[in-house]
Amino acid sequence: MDTTHTQALIGMVTVLGILVLLVLPSLIGIAHDRRVDRQIRQAQQARGEAVAQKSSSRSTVPSTAIWYADGRRSKKLVSS
């Protein structure tokens, strides 16, 4: 191996090292996001099972106060 081959090898290793340093934080972030997504999915499934066991006695009809507030918000102001 002569000097040219050695320099080419050193250059290639340097470029690959820089590439790894640039890509590594992204790969770590992707792995972290996937782990968090998996934990959220497991928590939602556990919560869904707990909610499915408990029946709700609350009414789904909005109260009078909500109907009144919606009506008041929908009116447009008219300047004279």
Side-chain angles (χ1 to χ4, degrees), residues 22-60:
L22 289 173
V23 171
L24 189 62
S26 296
L27 294 176
I28 292 171
I30 290 170
H32 181 263
D33 286 346
R34 291 184 76 149
R35 185 184 54 172
V36 169
D37 289 342
R38 185 174 58 246
Q39 290 174 348
I40 290 172
R41 199 174 320 113
Q42 289 172 350
Q44 286 175 341
Q45 288 174 352
R47 185 175 179 188
E49 291 171 4
V51 171
Q53 294 173 357
K54 182 176 121 178
S55 77
S56 176
S57 61
R58 290 184 57 178
S59 173
T60 57

Side-chain angles (χ1 to χ4, degrees), residues 9-30:
L9 183 62
I10 291 172
M12 189 176 3
V13 169
T14 303
V15 168
L16 289 175
I18 292 171
L19 180 66
V20 167
L21 287 175
L22 289 173
V23 171
L24 189 62
S26 296
L27 294 176
I28 292 171
I30 290 170

